[in-house]
Amino acid sequence: MLVTAGLVPAPKRVPVLWREVFLGEVRPRHIVSAIVSWQVDAIGLVIGRNQETKYVENVVLTQVLFIDAEHIGWGGGVELGAIVKTEAIGIAEDVSRVATSTVLGVWMRSHLGRLSKMNSAHPPRVIAAGMIGNVLEWYDFAIYGYFAAQIGRYFFPHLDAVAQLLSAFAVFAIGYLMRPIGGVIVGHIGDSFGRRAALIFSVAAMAIPTFLIGLLPGYQTIGLLAPIGLTVLRIVQGLSVGGEYTSSMVFLVEHAPEGRRGLMGALAASGSAVGILLGSAVGAAFAASMSTAALDAWGWRIPFLLGLAVGIAGYILRRYVLETGVAEKRTRAPIVETLHDHWRVVAGFAGLSVYSAVTFYVGFVYLVSWLQTADGIPPSRSLEINSFSMVVSLPVLIAAGWLSDRIGRKPLMLLASMGGLVCALPLFWLLNHPSELLAQLGQLGLVLLMGTYYGALPATLVEAAPPTVRCTAVAMGYNLCFGLFGGLSPLVATWLVERTGNEIAPAFLMMASAAVTFVTIFWFRETYRTSFGVAPTAAA
């Protein structure tokens, strides 16, 4: 088009344009235009120069090369690339069918294959777009837990200290119980309107309430409206949490290059560790730099207000990513199709997620307080042990995802779940030792088991989900499990210790979850070498 309109410099200008770019005299997009002109002229010499053929060449080559330009970061931008990609593939398909015997047809078919496989022009940007919402989710989780005492005093001042803390965590739990509903809502958006729409919705629904919690007046100012407002904001966040991680998981795996789906899924999973570490670091930094009076009065609000910056960054990253997963025509709502046609898959996903849910919430959330009561380790030291283990979990997760792309998902998941059955008791024996070093080694053992399993899980879920309801099916199975078994695991672990009088009783809870998952894995086929066009489902 640019050549036909006379807007593109002649091919002889290409060397000059290169020089002018380095001198700052011309925009990089002009280089692309010159290259388009040069390639069009070269092909025109071979297949002829009639006007219609010339126009097709210009349209196709210009659009394809603008995608190439966006791919290497010259010009056009992600928004242009996203708009052009679909059009370019459609034109390329038409031309390659018509011009089967020409140089243009051969050239176009080769580029068509490359375009179809090119899920994203900027892999780091796509990874950041996929991870940032999960980071924000767990950042909020960490700072809410860190400042739960201040929140309790500010919104429930008429209660005693214990009741204030319980009330703050009860509000947190209400939001957590909204996860399954949020998974259905965000999954519906992802399967009906595209992954990008779901990701933008979820990051906004997390960032805005996090920011508003930082602004919300306390009980002394607006009375009962303060705890009510806090509860409403936590409910909105719970809806976001239910769909954020699963939608980002689907998004990253769908955008993964061939042979890298496990790695991309593991990167999605690592966002939780990054968010917890970030929230803990921010909370600790403010606690260390402010007086207790200032922290209680207004300092606790600042970390919540800073969450808006993460949300804005997430919106910008997600607004300009290539779309995937939009169904051309849908006769039933995704939730209806999922429950009617694929309920066995959803049940299988819940079974696959039990082990990771219980291990995470027992091994990281519950364990901090357990180390204090069972071993007498000071709270600050318990947090240090937990934080160090969280840092170690990042390379374990990523290594497991990378390895699952080479040897398969099932071998790693079977090994890790069997490890939970065999090693849970020895690891809790280490954790129950008064030595802080042995306690650290015990939690690192849990990290190895959880990271190995959790690193391979996201790709397994996404690959096994029916493509037309991929977001909804993954969200339902995962969130039903995490909302029920994950959320109740600390409570059940506490009850087991109280009931049995055995400090290592939580190990039996972990063993039971490992047994359920170990059996469930055999219901699924290996998928790491399977074409991603149509995902295999659970065996009947």
Side-chain angles (χ1 to χ4, degrees), residues 135-468:
V135 171
L136 176 60
E137 169 192 334
W138 288 98
Y139 168 85
D140 175 83
F141 177 92
I143 60 173
Y144 193 97
Y146 202 100
F147 295 110
Q150 286 83 358
I151 292 172
R153 286 193 292 270
Y154 205 75
F155 292 98
F156 307 98
H158 57 289
L159 303 175
D160 59 60
V162 175
Q164 288 174 352
L165 193 60
L166 289 174
S167 297
F169 279 120
V171 172
F172 180 84
I174 290 172
Y176 209 82
L177 292 175
M178 298 301 294
R179 284 187 66 153
I181 299 174
V184 171
I185 294 173
V186 181
H188 175 88
I189 295 172
D191 288 325
S192 300
F193 304 103
R195 314 305 190 224
R196 180 170 56 191
L199 291 171
I200 290 175
F201 171 84
S202 63
V203 77
M206 174 57 72
I208 294 174
T210 299
F211 176 75
L212 292 178
I213 288 175
L215 296 178
L216 187 64
Y219 187 90
Q220 300 292 350
T221 304
I222 59 175
L224 283 175
L225 290 177
I228 292 174
L230 180 64
T231 304
V232 170
L233 292 175
R234 293 304 305 182
I235 288 174
V236 175
Q237 285 181 316
L239 294 174
S240 167
V241 168
E244 168 56 44
Y245 174 55
T246 52
S247 294
S248 65
M249 181 197 310
V250 170
F251 171 80
L252 283 174
V253 174
E254 287 181 340
H255 279 75
E258 194 66 30
R260 293 291 185 272
R261 296 196 296 265
L263 178 60
M264 291 290 270
L267 289 172
S270 65
S272 58
V274 174
I276 290 176
L277 290 170
L278 178 62
S280 299
V282 170
F286 277 96
S289 60
M290 301 179 68
S291 65
T292 302
L295 191 69
D296 289 347
W298 54 269
W300 65 269
R301 294 178 175 275
I302 300 176
F304 288 95
L305 297 176
L306 293 176
L308 183 65
V310 182
I312 292 173
Y315 173 81
I316 293 172
L317 285 168
R318 292 177 169 186
R319 175 66 180 82
Y320 299 113
V321 294
L322 301 182
E323 186 58 273
T324 62
V326 182
E328 293 182 1
K329 185 178 181 181
R330 183 175 294 280
T331 58
R332 293 179 294 175
I335 180 63
V336 175
E337 182 178 343
T338 300
L339 293 177
H340 186 271
D341 298 342
H342 309 294
W343 63 269
R344 291 183 180 85
V345 177
V346 173
F349 287 172
L352 288 179
S353 303
V354 168
Y355 179 55
S356 58
V358 172
T359 304
F360 177 81
Y361 281 96
V362 170
F364 281 104
V365 178
Y366 169 74
L367 201 66
V368 175
S369 60
W370 183 88
L371 288 173
Q372 299 169 41
T373 57
D375 295 351
I377 296 176
S380 59
R381 181 60 183 142
S382 297
L383 288 171
E384 289 175 5
I385 291 173
N386 199 59
S387 298
F388 179 75
S389 298
M390 191 70 70
V391 171
V392 174
S393 72
L394 287 170
V396 175
L397 280 167
I398 295 171
W402 176 84
L403 191 58
S404 75
D405 286 324
R406 280 146 183 82
I407 67 172
R409 325 289 187 216
K410 290 181 67 174
L412 290 175
M413 297 170 73
L414 288 169
L415 178 65
S417 56
M418 178 60 72
L421 278 169
V422 175
C423 300
L425 280 172
L427 289 175
F428 267 86
W429 179 84
L430 285 174
L431 285 164
N432 196 37
H433 199 280
S435 168
E436 294 181 3
L437 176 60
L438 291 180
Q440 181 73 79
L441 291 175
Q443 193 177 34
L444 289 176
L446 293 179
V447 165
L448 183 61
L449 294 175
M450 186 206 71
T452 301
Y453 185 85
Y454 207 44
L457 179 63
T460 302
L461 297 177
V462 177
E463 289 169 343
T468 57

Side-chain angles (χ1 to χ4, degrees), residues 87-102:
E87 297 179 0
I89 290 177
I91 295 171
E93 288 174 343
D94 292 340
V95 173
S96 64
R97 283 195 296 267
V98 174
T100 55
S101 61
T102 65

Side-chain angles (χ1 to χ4, degrees), residues 46-57:
V46 179
I47 65 174
R49 289 183 173 278
N50 68 74
Q51 188 61 35
E52 292 182 359
T53 302
K54 185 71 174 179
Y55 178 77
V56 171
E57 293 166 24

